[in-house]
Amino acid sequence: MTVTLVVATLVLGAGTFAFRFAGPLLRARFALSPKAERLMATSAVVLLAALVGTAALMEGAELAGIARPAGVAVGGVLAWRKAPFVVVVLAAAATAAGLRLLGVP
């Protein structure tokens, strides 16, 4: 069991390194059109927004309630206003915790 875990960790680490190393190497060999580059940038934003939306609104198969989305909204507004990361995280956590302390699900 331990050997399998160590081997799996090493393989995962090598694969991750290979993917990260391949990016700069292949970037010089392939040229993407400006339209494709815009599409890839937009796709990354859409995927990140979907991840945030899912994590903020759902807890397993159930809705997460109001406190978590409210905390995410506060964090999103502060991030949009370019607040320091620590302030964003602490304000989002404090909002969710405060609402839960008041009994809001």
Side-chain angles (χ1 to χ4, degrees), residues 7-101:
V7 169
T9 303
L10 291 174
V11 168
L12 182 63
T16 302
F17 178 78
F19 271 117
R20 293 195 68 155
F21 190 68
L25 287 179
L26 295 177
R27 178 73 175 148
R29 293 181 136 200
F30 296 102
L32 295 174
S33 69
K35 184 178 180 180
E37 287 187 11
R38 282 193 312 272
L39 179 64
M40 290 173 61
T42 303
S43 299
V45 171
V46 168
L47 285 172
L48 183 58
L51 176 65
V52 168
T54 303
L57 298 175
M58 302 299 291
E59 187 169 331
E62 306 276 327
L63 288 175
I66 302 297
R68 186 187 301 172
V72 171
V74 167
V77 168
L78 289 173
W80 173 59
R81 302 291 297 160
K82 297 188 182 352
F85 181 71
V86 173
V87 172
V88 171
V89 171
L90 290 177
T95 300
L99 287 172
R100 287 187 178 143
L101 187 64

